[in-house]
Amino acid sequence: MPRQSTLKSEATRTRIFEAALRVFRERGFQEATMREIAAAAGVALGAAYYYFDSKNDIVMAFYVQAQQQMEPELEHILATRLTLETRLRGLVQHKFDYFAPNRALLGALSAHTDPDHPLSPFSTATAEIRNRDTGFFARAVSDSGVRMTPSILPYLPRLLWLYQMGLMLFWVYDKSAGQARTALLFSKTLGMFLLFIK
């Protein structure tokens, strides 16, 4: 019985979480309410609050899930690509591909860049996610054998993470077909970036 109860609880939480993402996509993050999310999930409002304290809590769960689901492919990219350029291209492109269904949601969340806001990618609340993601860039650099100015090396992983965030911000607002302008920006700036750090 406890096992069945746990499975039911997990299924309910997942249903609420997935309903919330649908509501966020359809209504926008700011306009969506916990009551609407509960209705979309087919649960009582109290049940929605039992699993998630707020909309912010749901978004944090989205961030964590995204990182967990992306990690196997990010690991594969680091294991199979040898150069820094192909590794960086792979890491960033995979994130574009993964987040494509939620591009509008990321656009709405991009308003929260103030480090004092818990959903900001620069906040204390997101530090663990940020540091883990930065770790992939650190490995991309250290395992590629690229020689660079020693004074740059300690700061490079965080600089690459910031570069990625800039690209993502451009991407969520890119209205060109298939976000072609982002692809062009990524291609041109990556080459410039690699020349700069060597």
Side-chain angles (χ1 to χ4, degrees), residues 3 18 27 52 58 60 73 92 98 109 120 131 133 140 143 146 171 173 187 192 197:
R3 176 61 177 164
E18 292 178 347
R27 296 265 295 135
F52 298 100
I58 296 171
M60 287 300 295
E73 181 59 24
V92 176
Y98 178 88
L109 295 174
S120 168
N131 291 338
D133 198 30
D143 297 343
V146 173
W171 175 73
Y173 291 111
S187 178
M192 293 170 59
I197 64 176

Side-chain angles (χ1 to χ4, degrees), residues 133-179:
D133 198 30
T134 304
F136 282 97
F137 289 105
R139 289 169 55 197
V141 172
S142 63
D143 297 343
S144 64
V146 173
R147 295 186 180 185
M148 61 190 69
T149 306
S151 60
I152 295 176
L153 194 56
Y155 306 100
L156 188 55
R158 182 56 57 89
L159 187 60
L160 288 167
W161 182 83
L162 289 169
Y163 168 64
Q164 165 199 255
M165 296 304 292
L167 288 170
M168 295 293 290
L169 183 62
F170 187 90
W171 175 73
V172 298
Y173 291 111
D174 183 1
K175 293 183 173 21
S176 63
Q179 288 68 62

Side-chain angles (χ1 to χ4, degrees), residues 34 67 125 146 166:
M34 289 294 287
Q67 187 168 69
V146 173

Side-chain angles (χ1 to χ4, degrees), residues 28-161:
F29 175 72
Q30 296 295 345
E31 291 76 14
T33 67
M34 289 294 287
R35 187 174 298 279
E36 290 173 327
I37 291 167
V43 302
L45 180 60
Y49 276 114
Y50 175 80
Y51 290 99
F52 298 100
D53 292 337
S54 65
K55 293 190 299 179
N56 285 1
D57 197 26
I58 296 171
V59 171
M60 287 300 295
F62 169 66
Y63 288 163
V64 171
Q65 175 183 277
Q67 187 168 69
Q68 291 173 343
Q69 291 181 343
M70 284 191 292
E71 281 194 358
E73 181 59 24
L74 298 180
E75 291 285 358
H76 177 72
I77 289 166
L78 291 180
T80 58
R81 303 192 184 191
L82 302 180
T83 68
L84 181 57
E85 179 179 0
T86 56
R87 287 177 169 186
L88 295 179
R89 193 175 298 281
L91 294 178
V92 176
Q93 185 60 54
H94 180 59
K95 291 172 187 179
F96 286 148
D97 295 340
Y98 178 88
F99 285 118
N102 290 298
R103 196 167 67 92
L105 173 57
L106 291 188
L109 295 174
S110 69
H112 304 302
T113 55
D114 184 342
D116 289 333
H117 194 287
L119 297 183
S120 168
F122 310 103
S123 73
T124 301
T126 57
E128 184 176 346
I129 295 171
R130 179 173 63 252
N131 291 338
R132 192 169 183 84
D133 198 30
T134 304
F136 282 97
F137 289 105
R139 289 169 55 197
V141 172
S142 63
D143 297 343
S144 64
V146 173
R147 295 186 180 185
M148 61 190 69
T149 306
S151 60
I152 295 176
L153 194 56
Y155 306 100
L156 188 55
R158 182 56 57 89
L159 187 60
L160 288 167
W161 182 83

